[in-house]
Amino acid sequence: MQKIGHLIDGTLVEATSGNTGPVYDPSTGVETGRVALASVTEVDAAVTSAETAFEEWGQTSLARRTKLMISFRNLVVANADEIARRLTAEHGKVMDDARGEVARGIENIEFACGLTDALKGAYSEQASNGVDVHTVRQPLGVVAGITPFNFPAMVPMWMFPNAVACGNTFILKPSERDPSAPLYVAELFQEAGFPAGVLNVVNGDKLAVDRLLEHPKVKAISFVGSTPIARYVYSTATSHGKRAQALGGAKNHMLVLPDADIEMAADAAVSAAYGSAGERCMAISVVVAVGDVGDRLVEAIKIRMEKLIIGSGTDPSSEMGPLITAQARDRVAGYIQAGFEAGCELVVDGRDQRFEGGGFFLGVTLLDRVTTDMSVYTDEIFGPVLAVVRADTYADGVDMIRSNPYGNGAAIFTRDGGAARQFQRDADAGMVGVNVPIPVPVGYHSFGGWKDSAFGDTTMYGPEGLRFYTRPKVITSRWPDPATSSVDLGFPRNN
Ligand code: NAD
Protein backbone atom coordinates (compact mmCIF):
# COMPACT_ATOMS: atom_id res chain seq x y z
CA MET A 1 0.00 0.00 0.00
CA GLN A 2 1.42 3.33 -1.11
CA LYS A 3 1.92 6.05 1.53
CA ILE A 4 1.41 9.55 0.14
CA GLY A 5 2.85 12.32 2.30
CA HIS A 6 3.66 16.00 1.80
CA LEU A 7 6.43 17.99 0.17
CA ILE A 8 7.58 20.55 2.69
CA ASP A 9 10.69 22.69 2.39
CA GLY A 10 11.94 20.76 -0.61
CA THR A 11 11.65 17.33 0.97
CA LEU A 12 9.09 14.55 0.78
CA VAL A 13 7.84 13.96 4.31
CA GLU A 14 5.53 11.39 5.82
CA ALA A 15 2.38 12.28 7.72
CA THR A 16 2.83 13.19 11.35
CA SER A 17 -0.83 13.97 12.08
CA GLY A 18 -1.73 10.30 12.38
CA ASN A 19 -4.65 10.90 10.01
CA THR A 20 -4.81 9.39 6.56
CA GLY A 21 -7.49 8.89 3.92
CA PRO A 22 -8.02 6.15 1.33
CA VAL A 23 -6.91 6.42 -2.30
CA TYR A 24 -8.48 3.99 -4.77
CA ASP A 25 -7.83 2.62 -8.20
CA PRO A 26 -11.33 3.44 -9.52
CA SER A 27 -11.09 0.83 -12.26
CA THR A 28 -10.81 -2.01 -9.72
CA GLY A 29 -12.25 -0.42 -6.59
CA VAL A 30 -9.13 -1.54 -4.71
CA GLU A 31 -7.58 0.79 -2.15
CA THR A 32 -4.05 1.38 -3.40
CA GLY A 33 -2.77 3.97 -0.97
CA ARG A 34 -3.28 6.12 2.07
CA VAL A 35 -2.89 9.86 1.77
CA ALA A 36 -1.72 12.02 4.65
CA LEU A 37 -4.32 14.42 6.03
CA ALA A 38 -2.33 17.33 7.38
CA SER A 39 -2.67 18.72 10.87
CA VAL A 40 -2.51 22.45 11.63
CA THR A 41 1.14 21.94 12.65
CA GLU A 42 2.00 20.44 9.26
CA VAL A 43 0.24 23.25 7.39
CA ASP A 44 2.06 25.78 9.55
CA ALA A 45 5.40 24.12 8.72
CA ALA A 46 4.65 24.55 5.02
CA VAL A 47 3.71 28.20 5.53
CA THR A 48 6.92 28.85 7.48
CA SER A 49 8.96 27.22 4.72
CA ALA A 50 7.20 29.29 2.06
CA GLU A 51 7.61 32.47 4.07
CA THR A 52 11.35 31.91 4.52
CA ALA A 53 11.76 31.00 0.84
CA PHE A 54 9.94 34.17 -0.21
CA GLU A 55 12.65 36.39 1.29
CA GLU A 56 15.05 35.30 -1.46
CA TRP A 57 12.68 34.13 -4.15
CA GLY A 58 10.87 37.46 -4.22
CA GLN A 59 14.24 39.10 -5.01
CA THR A 60 15.41 36.54 -7.56
CA SER A 61 16.09 37.96 -11.01
CA LEU A 62 13.66 37.49 -13.85
CA ALA A 63 16.44 35.80 -15.80
CA ARG A 64 16.94 33.10 -13.17
CA ARG A 65 13.21 32.61 -12.66
CA THR A 66 12.81 32.12 -16.40
CA LYS A 67 15.66 29.58 -16.64
CA LEU A 68 14.24 27.51 -13.79
CA MET A 69 10.74 27.64 -15.27
CA ILE A 70 12.06 26.42 -18.62
CA SER A 71 13.88 23.53 -16.88
CA PHE A 72 10.66 22.64 -15.09
CA ARG A 73 8.72 22.77 -18.36
CA ASN A 74 11.24 20.42 -19.97
CA LEU A 75 11.03 17.95 -17.09
CA VAL A 76 7.22 17.90 -17.26
CA VAL A 77 7.38 17.31 -21.02
CA ALA A 78 9.94 14.51 -20.55
CA ASN A 79 7.85 12.86 -17.82
CA ALA A 80 4.39 13.52 -19.26
CA ASP A 81 3.64 9.81 -19.61
CA GLU A 82 4.54 9.11 -16.01
CA ILE A 83 2.29 11.94 -14.82
CA ALA A 84 -0.50 10.59 -17.05
CA ARG A 85 0.02 7.08 -15.67
CA ARG A 86 -0.44 8.37 -12.12
CA LEU A 87 -3.54 10.30 -13.16
CA THR A 88 -5.13 7.20 -14.66
CA ALA A 89 -4.19 5.07 -11.66
CA GLU A 90 -6.02 7.26 -9.14
CA HIS A 91 -8.56 9.25 -11.16
CA GLY A 92 -9.49 6.51 -13.62
CA LYS A 93 -9.54 8.66 -16.80
CA VAL A 94 -8.24 6.96 -19.93
CA MET A 95 -4.59 7.52 -20.84
CA ASP A 96 -5.45 9.78 -23.80
CA ASP A 97 -7.45 12.09 -21.53
CA ALA A 98 -4.66 11.96 -18.96
CA ARG A 99 -2.07 12.93 -21.59
CA GLY A 100 -4.37 15.73 -22.75
CA GLU A 101 -4.59 16.99 -19.18
CA VAL A 102 -0.81 17.14 -18.89
CA ALA A 103 -0.55 18.91 -22.27
CA ARG A 104 -2.98 21.62 -21.12
CA GLY A 105 -0.98 22.03 -17.92
CA ILE A 106 2.24 22.43 -19.92
CA GLU A 107 0.61 25.34 -21.79
CA ASN A 108 0.34 27.17 -18.49
CA ILE A 109 3.98 26.52 -17.61
CA GLU A 110 4.97 27.80 -21.05
CA PHE A 111 3.00 30.97 -20.43
CA ALA A 112 4.84 31.37 -17.13
CA CYS A 113 8.16 30.97 -19.01
CA GLY A 114 7.29 34.26 -20.74
CA LEU A 115 7.16 36.14 -17.46
CA THR A 116 9.82 38.64 -18.49
CA ASP A 117 7.47 40.05 -21.07
CA ALA A 118 4.36 39.79 -18.94
CA LEU A 119 5.88 41.56 -15.93
CA LYS A 120 7.25 44.58 -17.79
CA GLY A 121 4.94 47.06 -16.12
CA ALA A 122 4.15 50.50 -17.56
CA TYR A 123 5.99 53.80 -17.83
CA SER A 124 4.75 57.33 -18.43
CA GLU A 125 7.54 59.72 -19.26
CA GLN A 126 7.11 63.43 -18.54
CA ALA A 127 3.71 63.05 -16.84
CA SER A 128 4.37 66.57 -15.64
CA ASN A 129 7.46 68.77 -16.16
CA GLY A 130 10.41 66.68 -14.92
CA VAL A 131 8.05 64.04 -13.55
CA ASP A 132 7.91 60.39 -14.65
CA VAL A 133 5.42 57.80 -13.40
CA HIS A 134 5.84 54.07 -13.62
CA THR A 135 4.00 51.00 -12.41
CA VAL A 136 5.62 47.77 -11.34
CA ARG A 137 3.83 44.63 -10.26
CA GLN A 138 5.27 42.97 -7.18
CA PRO A 139 4.54 39.56 -5.66
CA LEU A 140 2.18 39.12 -2.73
CA GLY A 141 4.27 36.68 -0.67
CA VAL A 142 2.95 33.28 0.36
CA VAL A 143 -0.06 32.21 -1.69
CA ALA A 144 -2.03 28.95 -1.67
CA GLY A 145 -4.03 26.83 -4.09
CA ILE A 146 -6.74 24.29 -3.29
CA THR A 147 -7.63 21.99 -6.16
CA PRO A 148 -10.31 19.43 -7.15
CA PHE A 149 -10.06 15.73 -7.97
CA ASN A 150 -11.02 15.91 -11.63
CA PHE A 151 -7.85 17.54 -13.01
CA PRO A 152 -5.33 16.76 -10.29
CA ALA A 153 -2.28 17.75 -12.37
CA MET A 154 -3.63 20.45 -14.68
CA VAL A 155 -5.50 22.66 -12.21
CA PRO A 156 -2.45 23.02 -9.91
CA MET A 157 -0.53 24.00 -13.07
CA TRP A 158 -3.14 26.70 -13.73
CA MET A 159 -1.95 28.24 -10.49
CA PHE A 160 1.56 27.69 -9.19
CA PRO A 161 3.70 28.32 -12.32
CA ASN A 162 2.24 31.80 -12.71
CA ALA A 163 2.31 32.50 -8.98
CA VAL A 164 5.94 31.47 -8.68
CA ALA A 165 6.94 33.25 -11.90
CA CYS A 166 5.59 36.44 -10.33
CA GLY A 167 7.93 35.93 -7.36
CA ASN A 168 5.50 34.38 -4.85
CA THR A 169 6.00 31.15 -2.96
CA PHE A 170 3.19 28.63 -3.11
CA ILE A 171 1.40 26.04 -1.01
CA LEU A 172 -0.67 23.50 -2.88
CA LYS A 173 -3.44 21.53 -1.20
CA PRO A 174 -4.49 18.98 -3.83
CA SER A 175 -7.60 16.84 -3.73
CA GLU A 176 -7.23 13.99 -1.28
CA ARG A 177 -8.85 11.62 -3.81
CA ASP A 178 -5.95 11.48 -6.31
CA PRO A 179 -2.89 13.13 -4.76
CA SER A 180 0.00 11.21 -6.42
CA ALA A 181 0.16 13.09 -9.73
CA PRO A 182 0.34 16.62 -8.21
CA LEU A 183 2.93 15.44 -5.70
CA TYR A 184 5.02 14.00 -8.52
CA VAL A 185 4.73 17.27 -10.49
CA ALA A 186 6.00 19.08 -7.38
CA GLU A 187 8.97 16.69 -7.22
CA LEU A 188 9.79 17.58 -10.83
CA PHE A 189 9.58 21.25 -9.88
CA GLN A 190 12.09 20.59 -7.12
CA GLU A 191 14.32 18.64 -9.51
CA ALA A 192 14.30 21.64 -11.89
CA GLY A 193 16.35 23.51 -9.28
CA PHE A 194 13.85 25.82 -7.59
CA PRO A 195 14.93 26.64 -4.03
CA ALA A 196 13.34 24.62 -1.22
CA GLY A 197 10.08 26.11 0.01
CA VAL A 198 9.13 27.91 -3.22
CA LEU A 199 6.52 25.19 -3.78
CA ASN A 200 5.17 23.12 -0.89
CA VAL A 201 2.47 20.46 -1.10
CA VAL A 202 0.32 19.65 1.89
CA ASN A 203 -2.19 16.89 1.46
CA GLY A 204 -5.30 17.06 3.52
CA ASP A 205 -8.97 17.77 3.90
CA LYS A 206 -11.13 20.55 5.34
CA LEU A 207 -8.85 20.98 8.33
CA ALA A 208 -5.86 21.83 6.12
CA VAL A 209 -8.00 24.10 3.92
CA ASP A 210 -9.36 25.98 6.92
CA ARG A 211 -5.89 26.53 8.30
CA LEU A 212 -4.73 27.99 4.97
CA LEU A 213 -7.82 30.22 4.82
CA GLU A 214 -7.15 31.59 8.29
CA HIS A 215 -3.36 31.71 8.37
CA PRO A 216 -2.24 35.35 8.63
CA LYS A 217 0.89 34.74 6.51
CA VAL A 218 -1.07 33.41 3.52
CA LYS A 219 -1.87 36.40 1.34
CA ALA A 220 -4.03 34.90 -1.39
CA ILE A 221 -6.12 31.82 -2.08
CA SER A 222 -6.88 30.26 -5.45
CA PHE A 223 -9.57 27.61 -5.33
CA VAL A 224 -11.17 25.31 -7.88
CA GLY A 225 -13.92 22.88 -6.89
CA SER A 226 -17.66 22.65 -6.33
CA THR A 227 -19.84 25.74 -5.93
CA PRO A 228 -20.77 25.35 -2.24
CA ILE A 229 -17.11 24.96 -1.24
CA ALA A 230 -16.02 27.74 -3.63
CA ARG A 231 -18.52 30.09 -1.98
CA TYR A 232 -17.29 29.06 1.46
CA VAL A 233 -13.62 29.41 0.54
CA TYR A 234 -14.17 32.81 -1.04
CA SER A 235 -16.09 34.25 1.89
CA THR A 236 -13.76 32.77 4.54
CA ALA A 237 -10.58 33.85 2.76
CA THR A 238 -11.81 37.38 2.10
CA SER A 239 -13.12 37.74 5.66
CA HIS A 240 -9.54 37.02 6.75
CA GLY A 241 -8.31 39.84 4.57
CA LYS A 242 -6.98 37.70 1.75
CA ARG A 243 -7.22 38.10 -1.97
CA ALA A 244 -9.31 35.19 -3.28
CA GLN A 245 -10.44 33.63 -6.53
CA ALA A 246 -12.72 30.60 -6.31
CA LEU A 247 -14.01 28.72 -9.33
CA GLY A 248 -17.06 26.54 -8.79
CA GLY A 249 -19.28 24.03 -10.50
CA ALA A 250 -21.09 24.17 -13.81
CA LYS A 251 -24.02 23.18 -15.96
CA ASN A 252 -22.84 23.83 -19.49
CA HIS A 253 -25.36 24.14 -22.31
CA MET A 254 -24.81 23.38 -25.96
CA LEU A 255 -27.35 25.05 -28.22
CA VAL A 256 -27.89 23.25 -31.52
CA LEU A 257 -29.67 25.28 -34.19
CA PRO A 258 -31.64 23.59 -36.97
CA ASP A 259 -28.98 24.48 -39.57
CA ALA A 260 -26.12 22.88 -37.62
CA ASP A 261 -23.95 20.12 -39.06
CA ILE A 262 -25.66 17.28 -37.17
CA GLU A 263 -22.79 14.82 -37.48
CA MET A 264 -20.36 17.40 -36.12
CA ALA A 265 -22.74 18.38 -33.29
CA ALA A 266 -23.36 14.74 -32.32
CA ASP A 267 -19.61 13.96 -32.25
CA ALA A 268 -19.07 17.03 -30.11
CA ALA A 269 -21.92 16.23 -27.72
CA VAL A 270 -20.69 12.68 -27.15
CA SER A 271 -17.06 13.60 -26.52
CA ALA A 272 -17.96 16.63 -24.41
CA ALA A 273 -20.60 14.85 -22.31
CA TYR A 274 -18.91 11.51 -21.71
CA GLY A 275 -15.17 12.27 -21.93
CA SER A 276 -13.52 11.65 -18.54
CA ALA A 277 -16.86 10.11 -17.50
CA GLY A 278 -18.44 13.58 -17.51
CA GLU A 279 -16.24 14.62 -14.59
CA ARG A 280 -15.18 17.87 -16.23
CA CYS A 281 -16.30 21.34 -15.20
CA MET A 282 -16.50 22.16 -18.91
CA ALA A 283 -18.42 18.98 -19.81
CA ILE A 284 -21.58 19.53 -21.79
CA SER A 285 -24.44 18.39 -19.60
CA VAL A 286 -27.38 19.95 -21.44
CA VAL A 287 -28.03 19.94 -25.17
CA VAL A 288 -30.67 22.45 -26.16
CA ALA A 289 -32.19 21.21 -29.39
CA VAL A 290 -33.78 24.17 -31.17
CA GLY A 291 -36.72 23.82 -33.55
CA ASP A 292 -36.96 20.52 -35.41
CA VAL A 293 -33.36 19.41 -34.82
CA GLY A 294 -34.17 17.27 -31.74
CA ASP A 295 -35.10 13.90 -33.26
CA ARG A 296 -32.22 13.85 -35.73
CA LEU A 297 -29.73 14.92 -33.12
CA VAL A 298 -30.86 12.46 -30.44
CA GLU A 299 -30.65 9.61 -32.95
CA ALA A 300 -27.15 10.64 -34.07
CA ILE A 301 -25.96 10.86 -30.45
CA LYS A 302 -27.51 7.51 -29.58
CA ILE A 303 -25.74 5.74 -32.46
CA ARG A 304 -22.39 7.06 -31.28
CA MET A 305 -23.05 6.11 -27.64
CA GLU A 306 -23.57 2.49 -28.60
CA LYS A 307 -20.02 2.37 -29.97
CA LEU A 308 -18.32 3.92 -26.92
CA ILE A 309 -15.90 1.54 -25.22
CA ILE A 310 -15.96 1.82 -21.44
CA GLY A 311 -13.19 0.17 -19.48
CA SER A 312 -10.03 0.58 -17.47
CA GLY A 313 -8.11 3.74 -18.34
CA THR A 314 -4.95 1.68 -18.80
CA ASP A 315 -6.54 -0.32 -21.63
CA PRO A 316 -5.66 1.57 -24.85
CA SER A 317 -9.01 0.62 -26.42
CA SER A 318 -11.03 2.30 -23.63
CA GLU A 319 -12.63 5.63 -24.44
CA MET A 320 -14.20 6.24 -21.03
CA GLY A 321 -13.16 5.09 -17.57
CA PRO A 322 -14.90 4.75 -14.22
CA LEU A 323 -16.13 7.45 -11.84
CA ILE A 324 -13.91 8.60 -9.01
CA THR A 325 -15.63 6.74 -6.13
CA ALA A 326 -18.43 4.27 -5.48
CA GLN A 327 -20.38 7.13 -3.86
CA ALA A 328 -20.03 9.30 -6.98
CA ARG A 329 -21.26 6.43 -9.16
CA ASP A 330 -24.26 5.79 -6.91
CA ARG A 331 -25.08 9.49 -6.75
CA VAL A 332 -25.11 9.75 -10.55
CA ALA A 333 -27.26 6.62 -10.82
CA GLY A 334 -29.67 8.26 -8.36
CA TYR A 335 -30.04 11.23 -10.71
CA ILE A 336 -30.88 8.91 -13.61
CA GLN A 337 -33.63 7.35 -11.52
CA ALA A 338 -34.90 10.80 -10.50
CA GLY A 339 -35.02 11.84 -14.16
CA PHE A 340 -36.96 8.72 -15.04
CA GLU A 341 -39.42 9.31 -12.21
CA ALA A 342 -39.83 12.95 -13.21
CA GLY A 343 -40.99 11.83 -16.64
CA CYS A 344 -38.11 12.37 -19.04
CA GLU A 345 -37.37 9.83 -21.75
CA LEU A 346 -34.49 7.44 -20.99
CA VAL A 347 -33.06 7.02 -24.49
CA VAL A 348 -29.99 5.21 -23.15
CA ASP A 349 -29.79 4.13 -19.51
CA GLY A 350 -26.21 3.79 -18.28
CA ARG A 351 -27.37 1.53 -15.46
CA ASP A 352 -28.21 -1.19 -17.98
CA GLN A 353 -24.57 -1.81 -18.80
CA ARG A 354 -22.98 -4.36 -16.50
CA PHE A 355 -19.29 -4.30 -15.56
CA GLU A 356 -17.19 -7.11 -14.10
CA GLY A 357 -15.16 -6.55 -10.93
CA GLY A 358 -15.36 -3.90 -8.26
CA GLY A 359 -14.55 -0.78 -10.34
CA PHE A 360 -16.68 2.36 -10.07
CA PHE A 361 -18.05 2.08 -13.60
CA LEU A 362 -21.34 3.38 -14.90
CA GLY A 363 -22.52 3.33 -18.50
CA VAL A 364 -23.41 6.45 -20.47
CA THR A 365 -26.92 7.93 -20.23
CA LEU A 366 -28.99 10.06 -22.58
CA LEU A 367 -32.16 11.69 -21.28
CA ASP A 368 -34.53 13.34 -23.73
CA ARG A 369 -37.40 15.78 -23.21
CA VAL A 370 -35.91 17.01 -19.96
CA THR A 371 -37.57 20.11 -18.53
CA THR A 372 -35.92 22.86 -16.56
CA ASP A 373 -37.68 21.98 -13.29
CA MET A 374 -36.16 18.46 -13.11
CA SER A 375 -33.18 17.77 -10.85
CA VAL A 376 -31.29 16.30 -13.82
CA TYR A 377 -31.45 19.80 -15.28
CA THR A 378 -31.03 21.97 -12.19
CA ASP A 379 -28.18 20.10 -10.45
CA GLU A 380 -24.59 19.56 -11.44
CA ILE A 381 -24.50 15.77 -11.84
CA PHE A 382 -20.78 15.46 -12.66
CA GLY A 383 -21.09 12.11 -14.39
CA PRO A 384 -21.74 10.57 -17.82
CA VAL A 385 -25.30 11.86 -18.17
CA LEU A 386 -26.49 14.10 -21.00
CA ALA A 387 -29.87 15.84 -20.87
CA VAL A 388 -31.61 17.02 -24.02
CA VAL A 389 -34.06 19.90 -23.61
CA ARG A 390 -36.25 20.82 -26.56
CA ALA A 391 -36.65 24.52 -27.31
CA ASP A 392 -38.85 26.19 -29.91
CA THR A 393 -36.53 29.08 -30.69
CA TYR A 394 -32.99 30.40 -30.30
CA ALA A 395 -34.35 32.95 -27.82
CA ASP A 396 -35.83 30.18 -25.63
CA GLY A 397 -32.43 28.48 -25.56
CA VAL A 398 -30.65 31.68 -24.61
CA ASP A 399 -33.24 32.32 -21.88
CA MET A 400 -32.41 28.91 -20.42
CA ILE A 401 -28.71 29.72 -20.29
CA ARG A 402 -29.42 33.10 -18.74
CA SER A 403 -31.77 31.71 -16.12
CA ASN A 404 -29.33 29.02 -15.06
CA PRO A 405 -27.41 29.90 -11.90
CA TYR A 406 -24.17 28.52 -13.37
CA GLY A 407 -22.23 30.29 -16.09
CA ASN A 408 -19.03 28.41 -16.83
CA GLY A 409 -19.17 27.49 -20.52
CA ALA A 410 -21.78 27.64 -23.28
CA ALA A 411 -21.59 26.53 -26.89
CA ILE A 412 -23.55 27.01 -30.06
CA PHE A 413 -23.60 24.74 -33.11
CA THR A 414 -24.71 26.44 -36.29
CA ARG A 415 -23.52 27.29 -39.81
CA ASP A 416 -24.96 30.79 -39.50
CA GLY A 417 -22.24 33.32 -38.73
CA GLY A 418 -24.74 35.96 -37.68
CA ALA A 419 -26.41 33.64 -35.18
CA ALA A 420 -23.04 32.59 -33.82
CA ARG A 421 -21.96 36.20 -33.37
CA GLN A 422 -25.23 37.05 -31.65
CA PHE A 423 -24.73 34.08 -29.30
CA GLN A 424 -21.28 35.30 -28.29
CA ARG A 425 -22.95 38.45 -27.07
CA ASP A 426 -26.04 36.83 -25.56
CA ALA A 427 -24.58 33.84 -23.70
CA ASP A 428 -24.35 34.46 -19.98
CA ALA A 429 -21.16 32.46 -19.44
CA GLY A 430 -17.46 33.15 -19.04
CA MET A 431 -16.32 30.90 -21.90
CA VAL A 432 -18.19 30.50 -25.16
CA GLY A 433 -17.65 28.01 -27.98
CA VAL A 434 -18.75 28.36 -31.59
CA ASN A 435 -18.92 24.84 -32.98
CA VAL A 436 -16.51 24.01 -30.14
CA PRO A 437 -18.18 22.15 -27.27
CA ILE A 438 -15.49 22.64 -24.61
CA PRO A 439 -14.05 26.12 -25.10
CA VAL A 440 -11.23 25.91 -22.55
CA PRO A 441 -9.08 28.96 -23.29
CA VAL A 442 -5.45 28.52 -24.31
CA GLY A 443 -2.86 29.33 -21.66
CA TYR A 444 -2.32 32.91 -22.83
CA HIS A 445 -5.96 33.81 -22.33
CA SER A 446 -7.63 33.21 -18.97
CA PHE A 447 -10.10 30.66 -17.62
CA GLY A 448 -13.18 31.31 -15.54
CA GLY A 449 -16.93 31.33 -15.47
CA TRP A 450 -19.62 33.75 -14.44
CA LYS A 451 -22.40 33.67 -11.85
CA ASP A 452 -22.22 30.70 -9.43
CA SER A 453 -19.33 29.21 -11.40
CA ALA A 454 -16.81 31.71 -10.04
CA PHE A 455 -16.36 33.98 -7.04
CA GLY A 456 -13.92 36.87 -7.08
CA ASP A 457 -12.99 39.34 -9.74
CA THR A 458 -10.11 37.66 -11.53
CA THR A 459 -10.26 34.51 -13.56
CA MET A 460 -7.47 31.98 -13.56
CA TYR A 461 -4.16 31.69 -15.43
CA GLY A 462 -2.99 33.77 -18.38
CA PRO A 463 -2.97 37.56 -17.97
CA GLU A 464 -5.65 37.48 -15.25
CA GLY A 465 -3.54 35.01 -13.28
CA LEU A 466 -0.60 37.41 -13.32
CA ARG A 467 -2.88 40.20 -12.16
CA PHE A 468 -4.12 38.05 -9.29
CA TYR A 469 -0.65 37.05 -8.12
CA THR A 470 0.84 40.55 -8.14
CA ARG A 471 0.01 43.92 -6.65
CA PRO A 472 0.71 47.11 -8.48
CA LYS A 473 3.06 49.74 -7.15
CA VAL A 474 3.09 53.13 -8.83
CA ILE A 475 6.26 55.21 -8.54
CA THR A 476 6.22 58.94 -9.23
CA SER A 477 9.66 60.52 -9.66
CA ARG A 478 10.59 64.16 -9.96
CA TRP A 479 13.99 64.86 -11.49
CA PRO A 480 16.10 67.85 -10.50
CA ASP A 481 15.92 70.93 -12.69
CA PRO A 482 18.57 70.26 -15.38
CA ALA A 483 19.71 73.86 -15.13
CA THR A 484 21.09 73.03 -11.69
CA SER A 485 23.10 70.06 -12.95
CA SER A 486 26.87 70.26 -13.01
CA VAL A 487 27.15 68.09 -16.13
CA ASP A 488 27.14 70.04 -19.41
CA LEU A 489 25.37 67.84 -21.99
CA GLY A 490 26.23 70.24 -24.77
CA PHE A 491 22.69 70.79 -25.96
CA PRO A 492 19.51 72.26 -24.44
CA ARG A 493 17.93 69.98 -21.88
CA ASN A 494 14.41 68.78 -22.36
CA ASN A 495 12.40 69.19 -19.18
P1 NAD B 1 -14.81 19.76 -3.95
O1 NAD B 1 -15.40 21.12 -3.83
O2 NAD B 1 -15.44 18.66 -3.19
O3 NAD B 1 -13.27 19.78 -3.47
C1 NAD B 1 -12.36 20.72 -3.97
C2 NAD B 1 -11.28 20.96 -2.92
O4 NAD B 1 -11.88 21.48 -1.74
C3 NAD B 1 -10.54 19.70 -2.51
O5 NAD B 1 -9.16 20.00 -2.38
C4 NAD B 1 -11.15 19.34 -1.17
O6 NAD B 1 -10.24 18.71 -0.29
C5 NAD B 1 -11.57 20.68 -0.61
N1 NAD B 1 -12.78 20.60 0.22
C6 NAD B 1 -13.81 19.73 0.08
N2 NAD B 1 -14.74 19.97 1.02
C7 NAD B 1 -14.30 21.00 1.77
C8 NAD B 1 -14.83 21.71 2.88
N3 NAD B 1 -16.02 21.40 3.43
N4 NAD B 1 -14.13 22.73 3.40
C9 NAD B 1 -12.93 23.06 2.86
N5 NAD B 1 -12.38 22.42 1.81
C10 NAD B 1 -13.05 21.41 1.27
O7 NAD B 1 -14.72 19.43 -5.50
P2 NAD B 1 -14.31 18.07 -6.19
O8 NAD B 1 -15.39 17.06 -5.99
O9 NAD B 1 -12.93 17.70 -5.84
O10 NAD B 1 -14.29 18.53 -7.72
C11 NAD B 1 -15.42 18.56 -8.55
C12 NAD B 1 -16.05 19.92 -8.58
O11 NAD B 1 -15.11 20.90 -9.01
C13 NAD B 1 -17.20 20.03 -9.57
O12 NAD B 1 -18.22 20.78 -9.00
C14 NAD B 1 -16.59 20.75 -10.76
O13 NAD B 1 -17.48 21.45 -11.57
C15 NAD B 1 -15.65 21.67 -10.06
N6 NAD B 1 -14.59 22.12 -10.95
C16 NAD B 1 -14.67 23.41 -11.40
C17 NAD B 1 -13.70 23.87 -12.28
C18 NAD B 1 -13.77 25.26 -12.80
O14 NAD B 1 -12.80 25.69 -13.41
N7 NAD B 1 -14.83 26.01 -12.61
C19 NAD B 1 -12.66 23.03 -12.69
C20 NAD B 1 -12.61 21.73 -12.20
C21 NAD B 1 -13.60 21.30 -11.31
Side-chain angles (χ1 to χ4, degrees):
M1 176 97 53
Q2 212 195 336
K3 276 192 196 164
I4 303 149
H6 316 293
L7 189 136
I8 298 177
D9 210 31
T11 309
L12 284 177
V13 292
E14 285 197 10
T16 56
S17 68
N19 290 331
T20 59
V23 175
Y24 297 97
D25 174 348
S27 69
T28 59
V30 171
E31 189 179 318
T32 53
R34 301 289 306 179
V35 60
L37 301 177
S39 61
V40 165
T41 312
E42 286 167 302
V43 174
D44 286 359
V47 176
T48 303
S49 162
E51 198 192 357
T52 309
F54 177 67
E55 284 166 24
E56 269 192 46
W57 183 248
Q59 304 298 327
T60 300
S61 72
L62 295 174
R64 179 160 156 72
R65 283 189 237 167
T66 303
K67 282 200 181 74
L68 291 172
M69 198 58 77
I70 290 171
S71 302
F72 172 52
R73 180 260 176 209
N74 292 344
L75 278 170
V76 173
V77 170
N79 293 283
D81 269 1
E82 176 57 21
I83 302 171
R85 195 191 61 72
R86 289 176 192 232
L87 289 171
T88 295
E90 292 180 359
H91 175 283
K93 61 179 71 176
V94 300
M95 277 297 278
D96 268 357
D97 283 342
R99 288 194 193 96
E101 164 168 2
V102 180
R104 295 309 303 255
I106 290 169
E107 269 184 28
N108 297 111
I109 306 175
E110 287 172 348
F111 179 77
C113 289
L115 63 109
T116 46
D117 189 55
L119 294 176
K120 276 196 308 231
Y123 200 99
S124 301
E125 188 188 47
Q126 193 73 337
S128 183
N129 272 351
V131 174
D132 297 340
V133 180
H134 71 280
T135 301
V136 292
R137 299 200 69 93
Q138 294 191 334
L140 308 174
V142 179
V143 301
I146 299 147
T147 53
F149 81 82
N150 64 328
F151 284 103
M154 180 187 75
V155 172
M157 290 192 262
W158 285 0
M159 301 173 179
F160 75 81
N162 282 325
V164 161
C166 291
N168 301 284
T169 53
F170 199 90
I171 298 170
L172 172 66
K173 204 304 282 172
S175 168
E176 62 274 43
R177 309 238 174 282
D178 39 19
S180 290
L183 194 60
Y184 179 61
V185 170
E187 287 179 66
L188 295 176
F189 182 88
Q190 216 48 66
E191 196 182 324
F194 284 92
V198 172
L199 173 64
N200 297 274
V201 179
V202 280
N203 279 305
D205 54 13
K206 178 172 169 53
L207 192 142
V209 173
D210 284 346
R211 182 58 186 154
L212 289 169
L213 298 180
E214 288 160 7
H215 200 299
K217 298 291 181 192
V218 176
K219 301 298 177 205
I221 297 282
S222 297
F223 173 89
V224 177
S226 59
T227 289
I229 310 297
R231 189 180 274 120
Y232 165 75
V233 164
Y234 184 75
S235 63
T236 311
T238 50
S239 73
H240 283 85
K242 299 182 199 319
R243 198 175 270 209
Q245 52 176 188
L247 304 190
K251 195 80 188 175
N252 305 311
H253 293 58
M254 170 172 154
L255 207 65
V256 183
L257 299 191
D259 74 326
D261 178 333
I262 295 294
E263 303 303 311
M264 183 190 193
D267 282 343
V270 170
S271 70
Y274 306 121
S276 284
E279 291 172 327
R280 296 199 279 220
C281 68
M282 289 293 276
I284 291 293
S285 47
V286 179
V287 162
V288 183
V290 177
D292 65 358
V293 82
D295 291 348
R296 283 179 287 144
L297 185 61
V298 166
E299 187 54 28
I301 293 174
K302 183 171 173 242
I303 291 168
R304 284 161 174 76
M305 290 171 72
E306 284 157 3
K307 295 185 193 142
L308 259 178
I309 301 170
I310 302 171
S312 165
T314 53
D315 180 343
S317 65
S318 300
E319 293 168 295
M320 190 186 109
L323 281 101
I324 184 72
T325 54
Q327 292 81 349
R329 178 200 54 204
D330 297 346
R331 194 179 143 272
V332 175
Y335 273 110
I336 301 169
Q337 181 62 23
F340 171 70
E341 285 168 14
C344 65
E345 195 180 310
L346 262 172
V347 182
V348 181
D349 185 342
R351 297 171 300 174
D352 290 344
Q353 197 170 344
R354 296 275 155 233
F355 297 91
E356 298 296 316
F360 310 139
F361 290 98
L362 182 67
V364 287
T365 295
L366 181 62
L367 307 170
D368 194 7
R369 301 188 186 281
V370 170
T371 53
T372 54
D373 55 341
M374 296 177 182
S375 63
V376 286
Y377 177 82
T378 53
D379 297 3
E380 183 184 38
I381 298 178
F382 221 56
V385 177
L386 180 61
V388 178
V389 183
R390 309 280 183 129
D392 290 337
T393 63
Y394 164 87
D396 292 339
V398 167
D399 267 356
M400 243 176 258
I401 293 171
R402 290 191 166 179
S403 312
N404 198 282
Y406 295 107
N408 219 32
I412 188 165
F413 277 70
T414 178
R415 289 185 170 97
D416 184 323
R421 182 170 186 274
Q422 184 65 37
F423 184 75
Q424 292 169 41
R425 297 175 65 78
D426 292 340
D428 218 2
M431 293 165 285
V432 172
V434 174
N435 297 317
V436 170
I438 301 196
V440 173
V442 288
Y444 42 94
H445 284 258
S446 299
F447 181 110
W450 288 7
K451 301 188 282 186
D452 284 357
S453 293
F455 303 88
D457 66 347
T458 48
T459 51
M460 222 159 268
Y461 71 71
E464 291 271 304
L466 296 184
R467 190 160 83 80
F468 182 75
Y469 292 125
T470 53
R471 49 189 170 170
K473 182 181 277 179
V474 185
I475 297 123
T476 303
S477 321
R478 182 187 297 285
W479 300 97
D481 182 347
T484 65
S485 170
S486 57
V487 181
D488 181 6
L489 293 183
F491 54 85
R493 291 183 186 247
N494 211 352
N495 69 339

